């Protein structure tokens, strides 16, 4: 695999010669998956530096954790006050 390519459950499944659904269930600690398979998946996931994709999770579940904020002008102190962590806001509002 290329070094910058993200590892997926399909990559893990191919390495373990099993299905992607088995890998998914093992990662979610499903009771029907054997402890041996869970351990193998877990070890390979760590070895291959697998991390679940949060965007895919949000699409699958229909639940996300992103809130959009629309304001007329972010450079006004009133609108900028609630966004102190934003670097652009700190520079334009002098926070």
């Amino acid at each position: 695999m290329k070094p910058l390519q993200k590892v997926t459950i399909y990559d893990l499944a191919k390495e373990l010669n099993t299905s992607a659904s088995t890998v998914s269930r093992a990662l979610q600690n499903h009771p029907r998956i054997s402890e041996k398979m869970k351990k193998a998946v877990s070890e390979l996931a760590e070895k291959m530096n697998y991390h679940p994709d949060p965007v895919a999770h949000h699409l699958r579940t229909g639940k996300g954790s992103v809130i959009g904020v629309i304001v007329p002008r972010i450079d006004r102190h009133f609108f900028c006050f609630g966004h102190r962590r934003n670097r652009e806001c700190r520079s334009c509002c002098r926070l």
Side-chain angles (χ1 to χ4, degrees):
M1 290 188 65
K2 296 177 184 176
L4 297 177
Q5 189 175 4
K6 201 168 190 182
V7 178
T8 67
I9 61 172
Y10 299 102
D11 300 324
L12 297 175
K14 188 175 180 180
E15 286 288 321
L16 293 168
N17 198 28
T18 190
S19 68
S21 61
T22 300
V23 171
S24 177
R25 289 183 182 122
L27 289 169
Q28 294 174 15
N29 202 22
H30 194 278
R32 288 191 178 176
I33 305 299
S34 71
E35 291 301 319
K36 181 180 175 183
M37 179 57 79
K38 289 178 188 178
K39 183 177 179 183
V41 169
S42 176
E43 288 175 355
L44 184 62
E46 188 173 329
K47 178 183 172 189
M48 293 180 73
N49 199 26
Y50 168 77
H51 297 287
D53 186 359
V55 174
H57 175 75
H58 294 316
L59 286 172
R60 187 179 70 246
T61 61
K63 298 176 182 176
S65 58
V66 177
I67 299 173
V69 179
I70 300 173
V71 295
R73 291 190 59 189
I74 193 72
D75 61 343
R76 293 187 181 164
H77 184 70
F78 177 79
F79 298 115
C80 201
F81 183 71
H83 307 286
R84 289 182 188 211
R85 293 182 182 174
N86 185 334
R87 287 185 182 142
E88 291 177 24
C89 183
R90 280 190 235 149
S91 64
C92 73
C93 295
R94 316 235 189 303
L95 296 176

